Amino acid sequence: MIKREEVEDEGGLTVGNIRSYYKCEVCGYVTLVRTQYGWLDSHPIRYTCGNCKILIKGIAILDQQNADFRIDIENASLVSPENEADFYIETSGELLTEKLQPYNSETHWYIPPPFFRGLWGMGDPSDPQSGYEKFDIFKKNVISFLHTTKNEWPRIRRINELWHHENHEYLVQEVRKVLPKKQFPMNNRLEYLRGVHFITKFFLQPVISYEHNETIFRELKSLFEQNPANMIELSRYFKDHYRSYDRRILRIIEHFTEVFKFLIPAYGLTYYHEISEDLVEKKGMTTAAFEDIKEFYIDTYEFVAEIVPIIIGYNNLKYRDDFKKMSDTKPKYEFDKFLEAHKGKKVEYIDGTEVFDSLIVDGSIDNKIRNAIGHNTYEFDGISQLIKYDPVGKNKPSDIREMYLVQFAGKCLSIFQTVVHIWELLYQTEKHLYVSQGMKSVNPAVFSMNHLEQKAIKEKVRSKKKSEKRMKKLIKKQKRKK
Ligand SMILES: [Zn+2]
């Protein structure tokens, strides 16, 4: 039995919530699950039974067209609201929610839903309207990314795969379907690389920041003036690795498209005006359990740790005028040996003192949580959403650390952002190699960003209209069948 609840804010905006009562199939305790229905067609639900502590997993499905809503859940059964609830939890696919707590009929008959709290968090207190504006951007970006993931990602993946397998004939054929020939002639390796990179970058753009590219462009330009010969040498040094790095990055991007739905409430935090210190302690997320996202973190970590030498190479070139000349003030390594160093040592080498270190987002590379996941020395409490982890693995109380699930989800996002920065650096480095081999890039005069963006937008509108048409046809068909 499901009860609808419409809540109105001061501005007259109506927000829908669904109250459903779920009885744990093990201990019989009842949880009132208050689901905020927002703008996602479906979203995962994860919560822990407050009594016997088992994980209850499900999916909320919202059929916007038929105004229908249902939750498919395992390990608990829907019961009638006459049952007195023992626990209360909120769920949302998009926003932070109240954590599981004992049900209290006096306080829980009404509390502001997650949507309002999200608006308040995103808004500047001195400008109440700003919360709505930021929320709209957040919503637009998430929907756009989920839409392109569903509809465009398979094509983007195959274009990347054709490039990795050097299937240039098919590569040109596939890229031509998406990009204009004038700006993307696809007539040499340099142009193949540029076409593939552009398409993939465009795909990630709704949820990824490219602000950091300015630092990369600025630094590389000045290095090229400082020591062009050494810069070309650097790009040659990595020449046998570019394709294997690309393959790893493609797998990470694919993994990201799979886990993004678990991370949306943490992603929403990037739109907050201010994040209070106790926010993660008090509010949680019900889109994911720790197990849903930990693999993504450690797989991505492994790659970043392996690729650190290219960052160090650029630091060496900038500060010591030779990409192989390592710092005197840090642990002693030869550059060639550094490539084979233990991953933990490579990560430690980055200490934020040199400019290319800034490509690693602060706090994203956390070898303590990585080690605890790797050694299985962690515990996740689904109720408080606290991850307790032991990086050393000797079970000494002084070694145990803590982190909330929302914070860990934030690390998953920032480690992915880090990969995107490194990917850009690799791309620029490989481009230098081809330019040094005499390959010509397209004349910048034909390359008007505005023109391209307009084309891409037109394409998007067209494909959206097409998919809406298909959807309408399908619904008609199904109705006829009935
Ligand atoms: Zn239970």
Side-chain angles (χ1 to χ4, degrees):
M1 182 77 81
I2 281 174
K3 244 167 81 180
R4 271 167 212 280
E5 169 200 2
E6 304 278 327
V7 182
E8 219 173 84
D9 83 339
E10 300 92 4
L13 185 77
T14 309
V15 176
N17 286 270
I18 303 266
R19 289 177 175 240
S20 24
Y21 292 73
Y22 283 95
K23 188 176 185 170
C24 171
E25 285 172 6
V26 175
C27 69
Y29 277 62
V30 174
T31 304
L32 164 54
V33 178
R34 188 190 193 207
T35 306
Q36 165 99 58
Y37 55 90
W39 25 268
L40 299 178
D41 298 334
S42 71
H43 63 82
I45 289 184
R46 307 278 187 269
Y47 73 89
T48 299
C49 171
N51 182 53
C52 73
K53 312 283 193 290
I54 62 162
L55 175 68
I56 316 262
K57 258 171 132 171
I59 179 164
I61 299 156
L62 176 65
D63 177 352
Q64 310 259 16
Q65 261 158 340
N66 299 311
D68 194 19
F69 178 85
R70 69 167 207 276
I71 300 177
D72 292 337
I73 226 157
E74 55 184 53
N75 284 329
S77 331
L78 193 63
V79 291
S80 93
E82 276 91 65
N83 285 268
E84 183 71 19
D86 301 290
F87 300 102
Y88 170 87
I89 191 161
E90 293 171 351
T91 71
S92 161
E94 299 123 26
L95 296 159
L96 295 186
T97 48
E98 286 291 324
K99 290 180 184 175
L100 188 93
Q101 47 200 260
Y103 177 72
N104 178 325
S105 57
E106 273 169 33
T107 51
H108 286 137
W109 77 269
Y110 176 72
I111 56 171
F115 175 67
F116 292 155
R117 293 196 308 264
L119 273 186
W120 297 333
M122 290 180 193
D124 177 347
S126 65
D127 174 13
Q129 195 55 34
S130 62
Y132 289 93
E133 286 160 13
K134 271 202 185 153
F135 191 86
D136 270 347
I137 302 172
F138 163 56
K139 173 177 166 179
K140 199 184 97 229
N141 286 338
V142 170
I143 291 180
S144 158
F145 184 63
L146 292 174
H147 178 82
T148 47
T149 296
K150 198 169 156 193
N151 299 290
E152 325 263 333
W153 172 247
R155 179 197 293 275
I156 294 159
R157 179 171 49 74
R158 77 185 185 212
I159 287 175
N160 275 276
E161 284 166 350
L162 291 169
W163 168 232
H164 300 167
H165 294 298
E166 314 248 342
N167 275 327
H168 297 155
E169 204 177 309
Y170 285 136
L171 172 67
V172 174
Q173 167 199 304
E174 289 301 304
V175 170
R176 288 268 158 81
K177 291 176 185 167
V178 191
L179 295 178
K181 191 177 173 184
K182 195 175 159 199
Q183 288 87 351
F184 293 90
M186 296 294 286
N187 53 1
N188 59 35
R189 287 186 75 86
L190 176 61
E191 283 298 318
Y192 299 156
L193 174 69
R194 194 167 71 84
V196 174
H197 189 71
F198 182 87
I199 289 171
T200 317
K201 210 167 133 180
F202 197 81
F203 164 72
L204 290 172
Q205 151 259 318
V207 292
I208 279 302
S209 155
Y210 291 122
E211 259 172 47
H212 230 85
N213 288 359
E214 276 172 40
T215 310
I216 297 177
F217 300 157
R218 188 190 60 230
E219 290 300 330
L220 295 198
K221 191 166 169 269
S222 95
L223 286 181
F224 208 73
E225 284 157 16
Q226 180 190 316
N227 192 343
N230 197 259
M231 199 153 161
I232 290 163
E233 218 178 295
L234 188 158
S235 67
R236 278 192 198 133
Y237 187 85
F238 288 98
K239 75 176 182 352
D240 296 331
H241 299 282
Y242 292 125
R243 286 298 69 74
S244 84
Y245 291 155
D246 271 359
R247 275 192 276 269
R248 303 272 300 272
I249 291 170
L250 184 68
R251 277 206 296 272
I252 290 171
I253 297 176
E254 174 138 280
H255 205 166
F256 181 73
T257 65
E258 290 158 8
V259 298
F260 183 71
K261 61 179 181 290
F262 299 124
L263 304 173
I264 296 170
Y267 172 66
L269 274 182
T270 57
Y271 293 83
Y272 267 51
H273 181 68
E274 219 175 350
I275 297 173
S276 62
E277 266 180 31
D278 59 355
L279 184 74
V280 293
E281 186 195 326
K282 291 197 170 140
K283 301 288 180 280
M285 48 193 271
T286 44
T287 46
F290 185 55
E291 301 291 329
D292 291 313
I293 52 179
K294 71 174 174 63
E295 294 299 330
F296 174 74
Y297 187 77
I298 62 168
D299 286 355
T300 310
Y301 178 99
E302 294 305 303
F303 175 69
V304 175
E306 195 182 311
I307 198 87
V308 161
I310 189 143
I311 296 178
I312 304 301
Y314 275 105
N315 279 333
N316 291 344
L317 178 53
K318 179 176 169 84
Y319 295 95
R320 292 164 287 279
D321 209 30
D322 176 356
F323 79 91
K324 283 193 170 183
K325 196 160 192 302
M326 304 290 277
S327 164
D328 290 334
T329 54
K330 291 187 188 183
K332 298 270 175 285
Y333 282 104
E334 273 175 46
F335 188 74
D336 297 337
K337 291 266 160 16
F338 185 68
L339 263 87
E340 293 147 22
H342 189 271
K343 282 180 187 146
K345 296 281 177 219
K346 284 190 202 151
V347 167
E348 274 171 26
Y349 200 86
I350 302 249
D351 60 5
T353 52
E354 301 190 336
V355 72
F356 285 94
D357 293 356
S358 72
L359 300 190
I360 309 263
V361 179
D362 263 353
S364 62
I365 305 298
D366 184 333
N367 64 348
K368 298 206 162 56
I369 186 80
R370 186 255 157 241
N371 289 345
I373 298 171
H375 303 142
N376 254 312
T377 46
Y378 63 84
E379 271 172 35
F380 174 57
D381 181 306
I383 296 169
S384 64
Q385 301 211 324
L386 197 61
I387 306 156
K388 286 193 179 169
Y389 58 101
D390 178 0
V392 187
K394 294 207 170 125
N395 212 6
K396 251 171 62 187
S398 59
D399 291 336
I400 310 280
R401 285 157 188 267
E402 296 178 347
M403 189 190 307
Y404 285 101
L405 181 64
V406 177
Q407 292 172 306
F408 181 68
K411 278 190 193 285
C412 290
L413 289 165
S414 56
I415 201 168
F416 184 67
Q417 180 73 48
T418 297
V419 168
V420 172
H421 295 161
I422 297 172
W423 174 46
E424 183 67 31
L425 187 67
L426 280 167
Y427 164 67
Q428 296 295 341
T429 311
E430 189 177 354
K431 257 172 63 177
H432 287 140
L433 175 70
Y434 298 148
V435 171
S436 78
Q437 291 169 348
M439 286 179 215
K440 293 255 179 319
S441 185
V442 71
N443 180 346
V446 300
F447 192 74
S448 148
M449 193 65 178
N450 285 341
H451 171 80
L452 266 180
E453 276 177 356
Q454 275 168 4
K455 188 180 150 60
I457 290 163
K458 271 187 200 157
E459 275 296 321
K460 243 184 196 174
V461 171
R462 212 178 299 149
S463 82
K464 200 171 171 235
K465 276 191 183 152
K466 257 192 198 165
S467 69
E468 276 169 7
K469 253 191 192 167
R470 269 202 302 270
M471 188 58 129
K472 274 184 191 156
K473 259 192 191 166
L474 203 76
I475 291 166
K476 262 192 194 163
K477 234 188 197 170
Q478 280 176 342
K479 276 191 181 153
R480 271 206 300 272
K481 267 188 196 164
K482 278 179 188 171

